Amino acid sequence: MERNSSKLEENVDILANIVNNIDFGERNIEPVIEFLLTSDFIYAPASKSQYNNYLGGLFDHSLLVFKILKDLNKLLDVPYGEDTIFIVSFLHDLYKTNCFTLETVKYNEGGSLVEKQVWKYEDNFPIGQSEKTLFLIANNNLIELTEDEILALRWFRGSYEVGNVLDYQKQKCYLLADAKCPLIRLLSAADISAIAIERQKTMEYDISKFGE
């Protein structure tokens, strides 16, 4: 994947500034940062065509989720610590890392054969999106998550995921988790809001010919 060095450097600086202004207490955030910097998280797209389908799109999406979630968190009687807000925001789409590549496709445009680069997504460990995120965190010893962080990262897709399967046990687990962990709904709202904002911007880029 071709990297835009100025965009990469800008994202690294933004990430460093955020981390330096958060009190993580005794929690070691360094493995998380190292993973984000050594994977393609900083410069990967967030999707193939739906939103933020550009270099650095995944980072931009995570950053916007972080900003929205910070504001939503203030509405709670007992808000979560900013360390938790950072962790779930910047790790919620971790499963997408190292899965995007650019490929050239040909299509007919007005009778002429045109070549265009599009994103290809290939999941190298297809166990499920949230499941893969939690696996990557555990398998790479990135950080010890709190119970609410685990539940939020697992279930923030909520009704979208559960509503598309006829799995009583999965539905039951989601409902139980949702009842005890407000962070699930907050992360879900932040993610959905960020995507809605980003899709409006994406529509301006004329990506109608990009593959879904």
Side-chain angles (χ1 to χ4, degrees):
M1 184 189 301
E2 183 181 353
R3 305 186 189 188
N4 182 315
S5 58
S6 61
K7 176 64 175 175
L8 176 60
E9 292 171 3
E10 179 185 352
N11 288 351
V12 171
D13 289 342
I14 292 172
L15 182 63
N17 184 62
I18 292 173
V19 171
N20 290 336
N21 285 281
I22 294 177
D23 181 10
F24 289 94
E26 297 182 358
R27 307 183 77 180
N28 183 13
I29 198 64
E30 291 183 9
V32 171
I33 304 307
E34 182 179 357
F35 186 92
L36 297 183
L37 295 179
T38 56
S39 68
D40 65 357
F41 175 85
I42 294 294
Y43 55 88
S47 72
K48 290 192 295 183
S49 64
Q50 297 245 330
Y51 64 97
N52 285 24
N53 58 326
Y54 55 83
L55 289 171
L58 180 57
F59 176 86
D60 287 352
H61 171 69
S62 301
L63 178 61
L64 183 54
V65 169
F66 174 69
K67 292 177 178 179
I68 296 173
L69 187 54
K70 279 180 64 177
D71 287 338
L72 292 176
N73 186 48
K74 296 174 184 177
L75 301 176
L76 294 178
D77 291 335
V78 182
Y80 290 94
E82 198 164 4
D83 57 327
T84 286
I85 301 305
F86 173 86
I87 287 166
V88 298
S89 297
F90 279 89
L91 299 187
H92 79 283
D93 275 346
L94 200 65
Y95 72 92
K96 295 180 179 179
T97 56
N98 302 323
C99 289
F100 285 100
T101 56
L102 279 171
E103 65 175 6
T104 301
V105 298
K106 297 180 180 181
Y107 61 91
N108 189 295
E109 185 177 85
S112 300
L113 196 60
V114 178
E115 289 188 350
K116 193 165 189 175
Q117 284 192 313
V118 298
W119 291 111
K120 178 182 179 181
Y121 181 85
E122 187 172 353
D123 192 344
N124 51 15
F125 190 49
I127 61 170
Q129 296 176 348
S130 296
E131 292 90 341
K132 183 180 175 183
T133 289
L134 291 171
F135 170 81
L136 289 172
I137 294 170
N139 195 54
N140 291 281
N141 296 311
L142 299 188
I143 195 165
E144 185 174 345
L145 298 172
T146 67
E147 182 177 296
D148 276 22
E149 289 165 358
I150 293 172
L151 292 175
L153 289 171
R154 173 62 186 92
W155 292 115
F156 76 93
R157 289 179 179 83
S159 57
Y160 171 80
E161 176 183 349
V162 176
N164 284 284
V165 295
L166 296 176
D167 186 334
Y168 172 74
Q169 288 302 323
K170 178 175 282 191
Q171 292 174 346
K172 182 178 179 181
C173 285
Y174 166 68
L175 292 173
L176 289 172
D178 182 58
K180 68 180 296 185
C181 178
L183 187 58
I184 294 173
R185 293 286 183 124
L186 293 184
L187 180 57
S188 177
D191 183 52
I192 292 171
S193 298
I195 290 174
I197 293 168
E198 291 157 347
R199 278 180 173 168
Q200 291 301 310
K201 295 179 181 179
T202 301
M203 289 172 64
E204 300 171 3
Y205 297 144
D206 187 20
I207 59 163
S208 59
K209 296 181 177 64
F210 278 30
E212 179 56 33

